[in-house]
Amino acid sequence: MENDIYIVKKKISTENFLLKLNQQAHQLEVYKKADEHALRKNYSIRKDFVPCEYTIYEKIKEMPCLFGREDSPTPYGVFDIVKKSKVKEEYISGYHKKYERIKFFGYLVIFEDYFIHSDLYMDRVTSETFEQAEPISNGDTGTAGCIRVSQKNVEWLLENIEVGTTVIL
């Protein structure tokens, strides 16, 4: 069973969240900074433990997601969000097997050209029309390496997750 608590040796940071890709469950898990009570309720910790050297995160949300296929995997590692878009900001990508150019609306950059982003649309779709358009990604079983979540979830991430947030892949 996956743990709902993560303990991280404290960095000089004010990160309120931690993201983790759970490939077995096909979920992007969201953890929020917690206090030592979350740790103590889940683990046997000696009474004189001083948590000041650690940041404790407790799982608050799971988002269904798709991620890289065997022929185009999502990289493994620990990364930080290096950039994020505005809500519904469009991005044109050339990484699709069938179409030369596709778009998605809203994203967080994890590493180089690896993103957490929304569904995929034809490049003629605009930020004003995508909510009425049919995504071309319906029925996909994997991505070209990015992590794909619903539009609603990418909007939540953009409103809550800051640049610098740690992502465990």
Side-chain angles (χ1 to χ4, degrees):
M1 182 172 122
E2 285 286 317
N3 290 328
D4 290 342
I5 299 289
Y6 263 84
I7 306 158
V8 178
K9 187 75 169 176
K10 195 173 258 180
K11 298 191 286 184
I12 301 172
S13 170
T14 58
E15 293 175 5
N16 288 316
F17 292 95
L18 171 80
L19 302 177
K20 179 184 174 278
L21 176 61
N22 181 336
Q23 291 190 7
Q24 288 181 319
H26 288 263
Q27 300 279 339
L28 180 63
E29 299 172 343
V30 180
Y31 292 79
K32 186 171 174 117
K33 192 182 287 185
D35 62 24
E36 71 177 279
H37 299 293
L39 182 64
R40 291 187 186 281
K41 96 178 166 192
N42 289 286
Y43 298 102
S44 298
I45 305 291
R46 66 181 197 272
K47 292 183 190 302
D48 64 341
F49 171 74
V50 180
C52 66
E53 292 185 28
Y54 299 90
T55 304
I56 300 159
Y57 294 94
E58 188 168 25
K59 190 185 330 178
I60 61 160
K61 193 173 187 69
E62 296 175 329
M63 300 175 177
C65 70
L66 292 177
F67 50 87
R69 302 176 299 268
E70 191 173 302
D71 63 335
S72 185
T74 299
Y76 287 99
V78 179
F79 303 93
D80 290 337
I81 298 293
V82 294
K83 179 182 177 187
K84 71 179 199 173
S85 72
K86 295 179 179 130
V87 173
K88 299 181 184 176
E89 180 180 325
E90 70 179 47
Y91 183 88
I92 299 173
S93 174
Y95 293 109
H96 196 276
K97 286 183 170 187
K98 191 173 178 182
Y99 303 103
E100 189 174 314
R101 289 169 38 111
I102 50 97
K103 283 184 182 176
F104 47 84
F105 297 89
Y107 59 88
L108 297 99
V109 181
I110 303 167
F111 169 73
E112 292 295 320
D113 282 343
Y114 292 93
F115 296 72
I116 298 171
H117 64 76
S118 67
D119 283 324
L120 305 177
Y121 297 86
M122 297 299 296
D123 69 342
R124 68 179 175 273
V125 176
T126 68
S127 58
E128 291 80 29
T129 64
F130 83 90
E131 291 174 332
Q132 293 80 39
E134 185 69 27
I136 61 170
S137 54
N138 285 347
D140 285 356
T141 58
T143 71
C146 290
I147 298 168
R148 191 179 317 144
V149 298
S150 71
Q151 186 66 40
K152 180 180 174 183
N153 283 332
V154 84
E155 289 174 13
W156 186 93
L157 290 168
L158 289 169
E159 289 171 8
N160 292 281
I161 302 301
E162 294 300 321
V163 170
T165 297
T166 299
V167 183
I168 302 170
L169 302 177

